[in-house]
Amino acid sequence: MRKQPLFTLCPADRYLQSTVLHLLGCHGDSKADTPDVPPSTDNTPQCLNKALEGLSSRWKNWWIRGILSLTMITGFFLIIYLGPIMLIFVVMSIQIKCFHEIITIGYRVYHSYDLPWFRTLSWYFLICVNYFFYGETVADYFGALVQREEPLQFLVRYHRFISFAVYLAGFCMFVLSLVKKHYRLQFYMFAWTHVTLLIVVTQSHLVIQNLFEGMIWFIVPISIVICNDIMAYIFGFFFGRTPLIKLSPKKTWEGFIGGFFATVVLSFFFAYLLSQYQYFVCPVEYNSETNRFAVECEPSNLFMIQEYTLPAVVQNKTVNLYPFQIHSIALSTFASLIGPFGGFFASGFKRAFKIKDFADTIPGHGGIMDRFDCQYLMATFVHVYIASFIRGPNPSKVLQQLLVLQPEQQLGIFNTLRNHLRENGMLPPAVEEAQ
Amino acid sequence: FTHIACINYIYIFSSPCVYTLQEADGDDKLAFLCEGEGEIEGDSKADTPDVPPSTDNTPQCLNKALEGLSSRWKNWWIRGILSLTMITGFFLIIYLGPIMLIFVVMSIQIKCFHEIITIGYRVYHSYDLPWFRTLSWYFLICVNYFFYGETVADYFGALVQREEPLQFLVRYHRFISFAVYLAGFCMFVLSLVKKHYRLQFYMFAWTHVTLLIVVTQSHLVIQNLFEGMIWFIVPISIVICNDIMAYIFGFFFGRTPLIKLSPKKTWEGFIGGFFATVFAYLLSQYQYFVCPVEYNSETNRFAVECEPSNLFMIQEYTLPAVVQNAVRWKTVNLYPFQIHSIALSTFASLIGPFGGFFASGFKRAFKIKDFADTIPGHGGIMDRFDCQYLMATFVHVYIASFIRGPNPSKVLQQLLVLQPEQQLGIFNTLRNHLRENGMLPPAVEEAQ
């Protein structure tokens, strides 16, 4: 049977189009490609609406955005005060909400609400990948706790196999759920789920690993991105003239460059402020006696004031800086120059699928994903930065791997290590021991 | 009425159709399309790929030799001859050694990637998307660089220590890989064109999912290879064996519909598993297959000489009482590896078909008969390797969980990078641990 289109309508024929739709009893727009753009719901609380009654629409929107921004930033500081466990919970709930938002967009685009099992499978894969990552984190950082509990030891030793088996079960369920009419849709949603998992879940776990390195590695990057957002908005509002990129017509070169300089300067001082407190600077350790997270330590060299001589060109003086502030300059440069690409990617995504915002969770701002799209690229960068320039591998993880080796291999490594330590002067030389 | 001019053609259908409004031509035109009782089909360009006319790649000599036979048997002979050719080629490459195997794995990976990306092009008619082909290959090179760098850092430790530029590349490997990937990401964002946003995002996702499936798993294959060539040969042989059994059963006993799991699959698995165990027995005797592939920095060659591990020494197993009464043997001499090969072949027969169904579903979803036409009678490279990928991942996870611990040289490398205080702490813990195990003389003696 030849499947030719019945007839095609030009864009100008909206009247004809709606008439035809009405005649045929169709509800809504085309089902397969254009998603329903939901009527913009106004989530603004009633009190705010009353307080801002008198203002014009433009200023009203500005005030709503401003108030919500302040609310979110205050909430951020409150959560930091509550400690690392609360932060981990918050990161996890944000991850789940972002995943939910992106999957919902996929549903709407493909009208796959009625695909068999699909929602179940998406959440199943989410749980599966989270289990894998949290298991790796627990094995790395909670080594002492794991040693005590027998069932945990078993789970940790065969962790990868168990995760793989759980994932395979999901894969097999997907294959069994393939329905003849919907093959392509189901493969699209499968790919959509996996790409979302790749973007959202892996990077939220990188955020948590940054957090364990020291809360400052969590707070400063997020603050840099927020600062860049706000500064670019302010500079663009007051000085904006030249558009930056077609994808985001509201962004301007003035905002971009002004935001860059403002962010570097502000984060420089913010890093100075935070480096003084142990609470932010120390790696988060799990204290197995008290069953709590402890943030007490001897701050590393990175957070001790050092003297830097300015280059002769500038002045012949020295300045006292935390080395971390130099790193914060690198981080803020990345956030200002490359971070916006994450935002452009999200804008392009929204235009491609014809949505205005990811969701309507936050009044004036859109969904959670709208606020966090630039953060993800930053989180990955910070993680790679730390791994490359700041610290080596985690000592307890190395020790764990050592203890799993064969005894002969352990002995070989022991001898090599002993020679290495003797060369470094950490151990008394061999001659004394032989006597 | 200017809009009348836009109506292109009207057909009267008498067959029952569900009319849906779909986008045509990727922009704002709407089209009424008929969804019949079959799969969702539409002539909108965005959805249906061109099914290319089946090209016949069979060499002329084969065609002449098989002239007289009927079409069904001719096809069988072509498939049979090509299968034998591929298996012979496989053994030849094994004989040539590990380096050749790595090259072959890499070229297969590139070909599979190319095949899947080409399907993506055809589905979305995105030949004219700006930069897209360049970006796909760029991401492929990028991810390969990342994985090969990790492998080189792990296994070629001695070589790396000697060369200065290599040391720099290894130390900052993750950062360099990330920077290279980011450059590709930024190029993608800059290449977004207003009319083609959705297509470009689709192709971006298509590329990444393909990379995830094809490239990561080919690197797992290479890591299995380094563990010992037997861990590469036996899984591949198991899958090939299952395939051949499945084909023979299907040819002689009719076809089972997609996704219907039938008892025939279990029989094929059982017989395939039997052959695999015999094959594993044969291979376990040779050092060439059993030893981990090591890079010898003096001779600059790969060496496969070692003391075979316990896994490859014959051990006596007492049969369970039930079997003893049946077979009247008390014990049996086996390589422990054969027990593992039973586990591997069980996986291949139970879960492997799901990988095959996944690929079949994919082909049906995008209305293609084969991934490509590279191998006459078989289709593309991807057709031959779709079941292998799941197997490679499973073997890797299996080895990591049950066979070996972490790589000692990698652990040593990590140790040497730590701070001296941390090294001292680990040294003391390790010394106590070794003393408890009796590998070192106890502390009392040293204090004297």
Side-chain angles (χ1 to χ4, degrees), chain B residues 270-284:
Chain B
F270 183 68
I271 295 179
F274 175 70
F275 283 122
T277 327
V278 170
F279 193 52
Y281 176 79
L282 286 174
L283 288 189
S284 298

Side-chain angles (χ1 to χ4, degrees), chain A residues 382-403:
Chain A
V382 171
H383 188 261
V384 172
Y385 190 87
I386 292 177
S388 302
F389 298 115
I390 309 292
R391 68 160 172 87
N394 186 12
S396 53
K397 183 171 185 178
V398 178
L399 185 60
Q400 245 198 5
Q401 288 181 320
L402 259 182
L403 295 174

Side-chain angles (χ1 to χ4, degrees), chain A residues 1 3 6 8-10 13 17 24 30 33 110 184 187-188 247 345 348-349 352 393 395 401 405 409 433, chain B residues 3 6 8-11 15 21 30 32 43 47 124 197-198 201-202 358 362 365 406 408 414 418 422 446:
Chain A
M1 169 163 67
K3 305 251 192 298
L6 189 58
T8 55
L9 297 167
C10 291
D13 297 329
Q17 167 195 337
L24 290 174
S30 69
D33 273 352
Y110 293 111
R184 187 181 291 213
F187 272 94
Y188 280 166
L247 273 174
F345 186 85
F349 180 83
Q401 288 181 320
L405 288 174
Q409 296 166 324
E433 281 196 34
Chain B
H3 56 263
C6 295
N8 291 335
Y9 34 78
I10 303 177
Y11 278 81
S15 54
L21 211 53
L30 296 172
F32 268 97
D43 274 345
D47 275 350
Y124 294 111
Y197 285 154
R198 188 181 289 213
F201 272 94
Y202 279 165
F358 186 85
F362 179 83
Q414 288 180 321
L418 288 174
Q422 295 166 325
E446 281 195 35

Side-chain angles (χ1 to χ4, degrees), chain A residues 1-11 13-14 16-17 20-21 24 26 30-35 109-110 157-158 160-161 164 168 171-172 174-176 178 180-185 187-188 190-192 194-195 198 245-247 334 338 341-342 344-345 348-349 351-354 377 380-381 384-385 388-389 392-395 398-399 401-405 407-411 413-414 416-418 420-421 424 426-427 433 435, chain B residues 3 6-11 13 15 19-23 28-41 43 47-49 123-124 171-172 174-175 178 182 185-186 188-190 192 197-198 201-202 204-205 209 212 258-259 261 347 351 354-355 357-358 361-362 364-367 390 393-394 397-398 401-402 405-406 408 411-412 414-418 420-424 426-427 429-431 433-434 437 439-440 446 448:
Chain A
M1 169 163 67
R2 290 260 306 156
K3 305 251 192 298
Q4 287 287 346
L6 189 58
F7 51 84
T8 55
L9 297 167
C10 291
D13 297 329
R14 290 304 173 195
L16 180 61
Q17 167 195 337
V20 170
L21 284 174
L24 290 174
C26 295
S30 69
K31 285 205 291 190
D33 273 352
T34 318
V109 170
Y110 293 111
R157 173 121 174 79
Y158 299 109
R160 289 202 175 179
F161 191 77
F164 184 64
L168 265 192
F171 182 83
C172 295
F174 168 73
V175 172
L176 289 173
L178 287 174
K180 189 166 175 189
K181 271 187 64 159
H182 300 295
Y183 285 153
R184 187 181 291 213
L185 275 187
F187 272 94
Y188 280 166
F190 186 77
W192 192 288
H194 279 68
V195 175
L198 195 70
I245 192 174
K246 281 200 290 281
L247 273 174
F334 176 84
I338 310 290
F341 282 93
F344 299 151
F345 186 85
F349 180 83
R351 273 166 207 269
F353 295 101
K354 298 197 207 14
L377 216 51
T380 315
F381 176 76
V384 172
Y385 190 87
S388 302
F389 298 115
N394 186 12
V398 178
L399 185 60
Q401 288 181 320
L402 259 182
L403 295 174
V404 174
L405 288 174
E408 302 84 22
Q409 296 166 324
Q410 285 177 343
L411 196 59
I413 290 182
F414 177 78
T416 316
L417 185 61
R418 186 170 55 183
H420 181 81
L421 286 172
N424 285 4
M426 299 291 296
L427 275 183
E433 281 196 34
Q435 283 173 351
Chain B
H3 56 263
C6 295
I7 298 178
N8 291 335
Y9 34 78
I10 303 177
Y11 278 81
F13 284 96
S15 54
Y19 290 103
T20 57
L21 211 53
Q22 290 186 13
E23 256 188 27
D28 276 311
K29 286 208 177 72
L30 296 172
F32 268 97
L33 296 165
C34 171
E35 285 179 30
E37 276 162 351
E39 305 156 43
I40 298 172
E41 281 181 353
D43 274 345
D47 275 350
T48 317
V123 170
Y124 294 111
R171 174 122 175 77
Y172 298 110
R174 289 199 174 180
F175 192 76
F178 185 62
L182 266 191
F185 182 83
C186 295
F188 169 72
V189 170
L190 290 174
L192 288 173
Y197 285 154
R198 188 181 289 213
F201 272 94
Y202 279 165
F204 186 78
V209 175
L212 193 71
L258 181 71
I259 318 266
L261 300 169
F347 175 83
I351 310 290
F354 283 95
F357 296 151
F358 186 85
F362 179 83
R364 276 170 204 249
F366 295 100
K367 299 197 223 350
L390 214 52
T393 315
F394 175 75
V397 172
Y398 190 86
S401 302
F402 298 116
V411 176
L412 185 60
Q414 288 180 321
L415 259 181
L416 295 174
V417 174
L418 288 174
E421 303 83 23
Q422 295 166 325
Q423 285 176 346
L424 197 59
I426 290 183
F427 177 78
T429 315
L430 185 61
R431 186 170 53 183
H433 181 81
L434 285 172
N437 286 3
M439 299 291 296
L440 275 183
E446 281 195 35
Q448 286 173 350

